[in-house]
Amino acid sequence: MASAIARKTLLLDIGYQPIKVISWRRAVCMEFLGKVEVVSNFDAEVKTITRDYPIPAVVRLLHHTRVGPRVVRFSRRNVYLRDRFTCQYCGRRFSERDLTLDHVIPRSRGGRMEWTNIVAACVPCNGRKGRRSPEQVGLELRCIPRKPLSVPGSPAQLGIETVPELWQVWMPRPSRR
Ligand SMILES: [Zn+2]
C-alpha cells in the first residue's frame, strides 16, 4: 500500500463534479472547518496522540463556488498526458523522463510552442528529426496534435496520470471524439 502521507484527495463540487486534487491534510482541514463532507475514505489512517483519522479519498464541497470555464493548461506534463506518454513518431510508450517536447514545425521555421505544434517525442526520434519537418526525415505523426477538449475534471485537466480506484466513479466518461 502506498504511504498514507503521499495520498491525495479528490475535491468535488456541490454537484459531484471533480474540481481538483488536494492534499489529504487540506481535505481534513476543510472538513474540520465545515467546508466539505467526506464522500469516501482510503483504507488507511493517520495516527495522532488523541485519535486516528481515516484519510479522505474523496470530499465534496458543501457550498456553491463560482468556477469559470476550465481549460486544460498548456504544460509539458499535460502534453505527455494528452499523448499518453507515447512518442508521436515511433509510437512507443516512455516514462516522463525519457520524453521530450518536439516542435512539429521547427522553431526556426516559425513553429510555435502551442498545443497544435507540440508533441511528445522520445530522445532518439527527436534527435533524428532535429530542426526539420517530419516529412523531411520520413517520420510520420501518429495523431494530429490538437488542443485537448476542456473536459472538466478529466485526468488531464486535474494533471494526474493514474486515478485511484475510489475516485473512478466520480471521473467523467472519456469523450468519444
Ligand atoms: Zn520515438
Side-chain angles (χ1 to χ4, degrees):
M1 185 186 289
S3 144
I5 305 306
R7 281 172 194 272
K8 299 274 187 191
T9 303
L10 180 66
L11 176 67
L12 305 177
D13 70 12
I14 195 164
Y16 293 92
Q17 296 297 311
I19 303 177
K20 60 179 169 182
V21 178
I22 59 177
S23 71
W24 65 263
R25 286 172 196 280
R26 178 147 176 241
V28 167
C29 193
M30 288 172 86
E31 190 206 359
F32 183 75
L33 295 172
K35 290 184 175 174
V36 297
E37 67 171 7
V38 174
V39 175
S40 58
N41 283 312
F42 285 117
D43 183 18
E45 292 189 328
V46 218
K47 294 185 193 306
T48 67
I49 298 166
T50 49
R51 54 174 272 211
D52 296 346
Y53 291 88
I55 297 180
V58 181
V59 295
R60 169 183 169 246
L61 280 173
L62 293 171
H63 306 285
H64 276 288
T65 45
R66 267 206 179 279
V67 183
R70 279 170 273 168
V71 292
V72 182
R73 196 167 55 88
F74 180 83
S75 70
R76 175 178 295 272
R77 187 169 173 81
N78 281 343
V79 170
Y80 296 162
L81 284 165
R82 180 199 64 186
D83 293 345
R84 297 169 191 279
F85 292 84
T86 303
C87 169
Q88 293 301 295
Y89 296 108
C90 66
R92 286 166 56 208
R93 230 182 119 92
F94 291 89
S95 68
E96 188 161 357
R97 71 192 164 93
D98 293 321
L99 281 172
T100 59
L101 293 180
D102 177 60
H103 284 72
V104 177
I105 298 168
R107 233 180 326 200
S108 55
R109 293 211 270 131
R112 306 250 299 260
M113 187 69 144
E114 60 193 12
W115 284 114
T116 51
N117 192 48
I118 298 291
V119 294
C122 69
V123 176
C125 286
N126 201 337
R128 186 175 150 203
K129 184 169 167 289
R131 291 180 181 185
R132 290 165 294 181
S133 70
E135 303 80 53
Q136 283 178 308
V137 280
L139 287 170
E140 206 176 313
L141 278 173
R142 302 269 151 165
C143 304
I144 297 178
R146 298 174 205 266
K147 184 177 193 306
L149 293 173
S150 72
V151 182
S154 64
Q157 195 254 325
L158 294 169
I160 50 171
E161 190 190 355
T162 50
V163 177
E165 205 181 325
L166 283 165
W167 297 7
Q168 277 169 12
V169 65
W170 305 111
M171 302 310 274
R173 299 272 160 259
S175 104
R176 238 171 258 281
R177 277 176 42 191

